[in-house]
Amino acid sequence: MWKPEPALPDLHFLLDRAGLTREALLAQYRQMCLIRDFEELIAERYAIGKTPNFNMAAGPIRGEMHLAVGQEAVAVGVCSLLTDADAVVSTHRPHHHALAKGIDPGRLAAEIFGKNTGLCRGKGGHMHLFDAEKNFSCSGIVGASYPQAAGAAFSFRAQGQPNVAVAFSGEGAANHGTFSETLTAAALWQLPLVIVIEDNLYADSTPKWAALASTHQSHRAQAYNVPAYLVDGMDVIDVYAAAKRAIERARAGHGPTVIEAVCYRYRGHFEGDGEDYRTREEVELWRTLDPIERLGKRLIRLGWADDATLAELREEAARDAAQAIAFAEESPLPEQREALMGVFA
């Protein structure tokens, strides 16, 4: 859902209507830079020991790895509107959501490395992050975020709490039955739920056009009497404006909303993915819409930042990401006796 770049007066209008200030946009720029740097460093460390024959059990980070480089605007545009008490349920591709929700980058990195200082003492890994203080969780099961977030939303409403639950998913997950089941219950009970579909055009390696008869999953929301927005997921301002309306609606007790954000992941579905289902030209085309570069250019057009200001923010973000990775690398692995700790079965 790419939109042409607005003229300067139109850009001012969009910002005023969304309530976005210079300080808020600079914070979003820095946050997206942090997420980008963090994930690119994770990619570097993940590759250690896995070549020339790819072995996901080798190296300092083991198991599968799903990165969201290119999708930063969706996470930041939504999560910058949330409080710590609001719930976020993410997916198997969760790092950008976790950082945007405010999770400590060092503890996040340590969890990905399987270290004792991680969010779950190294037992969750990159697909099973949990942080009670930030009310953040995720699941490696595709489509699981919808009912889990609906449960949190039901709890908020039952306890009279003014909070919102957000379920992130990919567009492929919206083809699961959990999407329809959750929309039915959430609309019937008017739950404070926002479903955010990150439509990066590919469900694993299956292109969207080969798996969906309609154009967009957000169109399905109409069948459940749920409002929906289709937004440019490479534009943090567009995402923020739609998310603000959806979250305000949920907090006011008016029920769920679906947001479909069309975006693109620059890396494969997983690290080690051969990516023979798409061309290099397609990837490079989407890179011309890069959300960080677009926001940087807008800040300069608005006169709200210059090259030096943006460079300083990028350096700060790069330093924070590097410190997080260093913290994880220097942290100890869990002791063997901890294998049975936290087991409730």
Side-chain angles (χ1 to χ4, degrees):
M1 187 54 196
W2 175 81
K3 295 180 180 178
E5 186 63 20
L8 191 57
D10 294 333
L11 182 56
H12 277 291
F13 171 79
L14 293 172
L15 292 170
D16 288 343
R17 188 173 65 174
L20 277 167
T21 64
R22 172 182 181 271
E23 289 69 28
L25 278 191
L26 289 173
Q28 290 181 349
Y29 180 84
R30 188 188 186 286
Q31 189 70 6
M32 286 198 290
C33 289
L34 170 65
I35 293 170
R36 178 73 58 87
D37 291 335
F38 182 93
E39 290 227 292
E40 288 183 341
L41 288 174
I42 288 292
E44 288 180 11
R45 301 304 195 275
Y46 183 76
I48 295 174
K50 291 184 173 64
T51 56
N53 297 316
F54 188 82
N55 178 3
M56 67 175 62
I61 303 176
R62 301 177 181 179
E64 280 195 294
M65 179 58 61
H66 310 82
L67 301 177
V69 178
Q71 300 184 191
E72 297 87 356
V74 184
V76 171
V78 174
C79 291
S80 59
L81 289 153
L82 302 176
T83 68
D84 286 353
D86 293 323
V88 166
V89 183
S90 181
T91 72
H92 58 282
R93 197 182 309 280
H95 304 163
H96 56 324
H97 304 142
L99 290 170
K101 189 64 165 59
I103 285 179
D104 178 76
R107 294 188 65 206
L108 171 61
E111 186 59 39
I112 295 168
F113 276 75
K115 298 297 184 71
N116 197 35
T117 55
L119 295 168
C120 307
R121 301 178 69 85
K123 296 179 180 178
H126 113 93
M127 280 196 287
H128 300 93
L129 307 171
F130 179 75
D131 188 330
E133 293 182 0
K134 297 296 181 182
N135 211 351
F136 179 89
S137 61
C138 64
S139 171
I141 305 300
V142 174
S145 61
Y146 306 131
Q148 292 175 5
F154 184 88
S155 175
F156 290 147
R157 198 193 65 170
Q159 298 180 59
Q161 297 172 333
N163 298 117
V164 175
V166 176
F168 283 99
S169 79
E171 86 288 342
N175 294 334
H176 281 232
T178 51
F179 182 66
S180 295
E181 293 162 1
T182 298
L183 279 182
T184 298
L188 183 64
W189 298 331
Q190 293 292 280
L191 299 182
L193 174 69
V194 178
I195 290 178
V196 181
I197 301 170
E198 290 179 303
D199 180 1
N200 63 23
L201 312 183
Y202 291 96
D204 197 324
S205 59
T206 302
K208 183 176 178 177
W209 60 263
L212 189 69
S214 60
T215 308
H216 292 286
Q217 281 87 352
S218 56
H219 295 166
R220 297 176 180 172
Q222 297 174 4
Y224 303 90
N225 199 27
V226 172
Y229 298 104
L230 179 62
V231 303
D232 183 348
M234 307 295 274
D235 179 354
V236 70
I237 296 173
D238 205 29
V239 175
Y240 180 94
K244 184 180 182 184
R245 292 192 290 270
I247 291 169
E248 288 177 349
R249 183 173 181 276
R251 290 198 201 283
H254 299 311
T257 302
V258 171
I259 298 173
E260 182 174 1
V262 180
C263 55
Y264 201 77
R265 54 172 164 76
Y266 298 159
R267 305 186 71 85
H269 169 65
F270 58 92
E271 294 301 291
D273 183 356
E275 301 184 57
D276 56 358
Y277 50 86
R278 64 182 186 180
T279 65
R280 284 290 95 191
E281 290 77 11
E282 178 181 297
V283 179
E284 292 307 314
L285 176 63
W286 278 89
R287 281 186 180 275
T288 64
L289 303 175
D290 186 82
I292 298 175
E293 291 185 13
R294 287 175 79 182
L295 181 55
K297 290 177 180 176
R298 286 178 177 178
L299 285 163
I300 291 175
R301 285 176 62 207
L302 289 161
W304 289 0
D306 55 20
D307 289 336
T309 303
L310 298 183
E312 182 179 355
L313 293 174
R314 288 196 298 270
E315 290 171 4
E316 289 178 3
R319 184 172 60 248
D320 288 351
Q323 289 176 348
I325 301 301
F327 172 77
E329 291 177 323
E330 295 164 1
S331 292
L333 289 166
E335 297 181 8
Q336 286 187 349
R337 63 183 177 83
E338 292 193 36
L340 298 179
M341 295 175 64
V343 177
F344 300 100

